[in-house]
Amino acid sequence: LVQFMSLDGELGSRSSSLISFHLPFTLGEDDVIKDVEIEDGTKLKVYQRLIVVRGQKLGYIVVGLPTTQSYHNLEILRNIIAVMTILTVVILGYSINAVVSHNIMTNHRRFLSFASHELRTPLAIIIGNAEIALKTHAQEDYETALATIRDEAEWMKRLVANLLLIFRSQAGSEIIMAAPFNFSDILTEEVGSISRRYPQKTVHLQLPDTADFVADPDKVRQVVRNLLDNAAKYTGEMGQVSVSLTLTRRLATLVV
């Protein structure tokens, strides 16, 4: 159960599950969880957050979950809201910066086009599975829907991180933090993640006996993640992706 409120307390929009009633809303409250009872007598836990971008207040997002379901699941939805709020900050923040020059405006349009395209699928999956979780009475379906919501929210978080990497790199503000790490560990984790996201694709991984290396592990992980996602996305159904790593003292060669 989700609704968006203006700074004046006016209803902006709401999910289809709220056609017959409104979630309780208190102007001025931020980041609070409270127990309420709506018009039809249903008891809910309601989470309310104020959305602020660069010091400018934009409105409130309110989420409700029947208390017959676990408090942990409200926390999952709360995390999804946090991810979507981060996305709002990213898009609006770069919208403000985009007025600086024509070139930046062009990049901004490309960014918005890319972001809207890439985020459409996980958002649709999150919304659809949230509706299933709120309506189903079967525990297995309920847990499956919440697991899907968690995975897609994690994917959105990764996408936002990648978008930030692109803009920081273009602005020359990206800082490299080199440190020792195990390259094999990163590859194993990311291959496992991509295998879960694309279960119809087979991923073969070939690793060296030792894979200790010095670089920025977070940046390396982002590169690996993008390469693997592109490979899986554009490989045919039931296709195969091969990943291999070779290392010397100063050079790592990753082949996808």
Side-chain angles (χ1 to χ4, degrees):
L1 312 177
V2 183
Q3 68 187 31
F4 296 88
M5 309 295 293
S6 71
L7 291 175
D8 298 326
E10 296 293 326
L11 178 66
S13 60
R14 57 184 177 179
S15 59
S16 58
S17 54
L18 287 171
I19 291 299
S20 59
F21 56 89
H22 296 170
L23 289 175
F25 168 78
T26 303
L27 190 64
E29 288 193 348
D30 180 31
D31 204 13
V32 295
I33 295 178
K34 51 191 174 184
D35 294 294
V36 300
E37 184 172 325
I38 57 178
E39 290 91 336
D40 63 358
T42 301
K43 294 183 178 180
L44 301 173
K45 273 195 180 297
V46 173
Y47 169 60
Q48 180 175 315
R49 168 177 286 186
L50 176 66
I51 300 178
V52 181
V53 177
R54 295 196 171 195
Q56 180 182 359
K57 299 178 180 179
L58 302 181
Y60 297 83
I61 183 169
V62 188
V63 175
L65 191 70
T67 54
T68 53
Q69 301 165 359
S70 70
Y71 179 84
H72 172 69
N73 295 332
L74 178 59
E75 287 297 311
I76 293 177
L77 294 181
R78 177 174 176 167
N79 290 337
I80 294 171
I81 294 171
V83 172
M84 297 177 70
T85 302
I86 291 172
L87 176 63
T88 302
V89 171
V90 171
I91 293 178
L92 293 182
Y94 283 111
S95 296
I96 295 172
N97 290 337
V99 300
V100 176
S101 70
H102 174 73
N103 289 337
I104 296 180
M105 180 63 77
T106 300
N107 289 335
H108 168 65
R109 292 194 184 101
R110 291 173 181 171
F111 165 77
L112 287 180
S113 176
F114 172 79
S116 62
H117 173 73
E118 291 295 320
L119 290 170
R120 187 178 299 117
T121 297
L123 277 174
I125 294 174
I126 286 172
I127 293 171
N129 280 274
E131 293 292 341
I132 292 174
L134 291 169
K135 294 177 180 178
T136 187
H137 297 290
Q139 184 66 22
E140 182 178 354
D141 293 341
Y142 184 68
E143 293 177 354
T144 300
L146 288 176
T148 302
I149 289 173
R150 178 200 59 206
D151 292 344
E152 294 302 319
E154 178 66 26
W155 181 252
M156 288 178 64
K157 184 175 71 174
R158 290 183 175 187
L159 179 58
V160 170
N162 288 336
L163 293 173
L164 285 173
L165 173 64
I166 292 171
F167 274 85
R168 286 172 179 167
S169 298
Q170 289 179 350
S173 61
E174 193 71 11
I175 299 175
I176 302 299
M177 302 292 291
F181 68 98
N182 188 294
F183 212 137
S184 292
D185 290 346
I186 289 179
L187 280 174
T188 301
E189 292 169 7
E190 294 303 319
V191 165
S193 176
I194 212 72
S195 296
R196 290 189 295 272
R197 185 168 177 81
Y198 298 94
Q200 72 278 21
K201 314 292 176 68
T202 301
V203 183
H204 298 288
L205 178 59
Q206 182 179 350
L207 298 172
D209 293 334
T210 59
D212 294 328
F213 200 63
V214 177
D216 189 322
D218 291 335
K219 304 299 185 297
V220 169
R221 184 181 293 275
Q222 287 178 317
V223 171
V224 169
R225 183 174 296 159
N226 291 339
L227 286 172
L228 292 179
D229 181 58
N230 283 337
K233 182 185 298 183
Y234 298 109
T235 295
E237 294 296 322
M238 309 307 294
Q240 298 184 15
V241 177
S242 296
V243 182
S244 65
L245 175 70
T246 57
L247 282 170
T248 63
R249 189 173 66 88
R250 297 182 58 86
L251 179 66
T253 303
L254 175 66
V255 179
V256 180

